[in-house]
Amino acid sequence: MELTKSEMEIMDVLWESGQPLSRSDLLERSEEKTWKDSSVHILLNGLLQKGAIREAGLVKRSKTYGRVFSPTMSREEYFATTIFSHRHKPEIVGLFDALLRREDISQEDLQKIAGLVSQRTV
């Protein structure tokens, strides 16, 4: 699944909130958006069709009810799936090697990764 820049902006707001959000919540929390407020319905419908978000219920606003939305996957899960959905898929060991050589990875991150790998052993 590939998301557009505008869809990613909405996903970032949803991921950072940690809770389902309504259309108006998204508009309030989208500070640096590249899309117009009137486009939010189109963007939400596109994200629903792609399976990136789901309807998570209804919330009462004044006298009406509105849908709230939540992501179907975490930010990390999204990026992991996009890496391997390209035609030119990276070799997984080489990808991990490149990620582990990054200077911004802390010792704590490396210890957590080592723990995850040891839990995953076959």
Side-chain angles (χ1 to χ4, degrees):
M1 151 187 14
E2 289 260 350
L3 301 180
T4 66
K5 180 180 178 182
S6 297
E7 290 171 336
M8 279 300 295
E9 291 171 7
I10 289 178
M11 293 301 295
D12 282 335
V13 172
L14 288 168
W15 284 322
E16 290 167 15
S17 79
Q19 63 186 21
L21 297 176
S22 67
R23 180 191 66 81
S24 58
D25 293 333
L26 285 164
L27 291 173
E28 288 173 14
R29 296 178 188 209
S30 298
E31 297 170 8
E32 297 181 25
K33 63 182 187 284
T34 59
W35 41 274
K36 296 180 181 177
D37 290 358
S38 58
S39 301
V40 73
H41 277 64
I42 294 167
L43 294 168
L44 288 170
N45 284 333
L47 289 167
L48 283 166
Q49 288 176 346
K50 290 178 180 181
I53 63 172
R54 65 177 180 82
E55 289 184 33
L58 296 172
V59 65
K60 187 172 184 174
R61 300 279 178 161
S62 310
K63 297 179 181 183
T64 62
Y65 286 89
R67 300 180 296 174
V68 291
F69 305 93
S70 63
T72 58
M73 63 183 77
S74 70
R75 179 182 278 128
E76 294 75 16
E77 289 169 327
Y78 168 73
F79 282 105
T81 60
T82 59
I83 287 171
F84 295 104
S85 66
H86 291 279
R87 191 176 89 208
H88 304 288
K89 295 176 179 72
E91 190 267 323
I92 195 156
V93 174
L95 175 64
F96 269 94
D97 182 45
L99 289 170
L100 293 172
R101 283 188 276 120
R102 292 181 51 95
E103 291 181 16
D104 58 349
I105 293 190
S106 68
Q107 269 313 119
E108 184 181 342
D109 289 337
L110 290 172
Q111 289 172 349
K112 288 179 183 177
I113 292 167
L116 291 171
V117 170
S118 68
Q119 288 176 1
R120 180 75 176 152
T121 58
V122 190

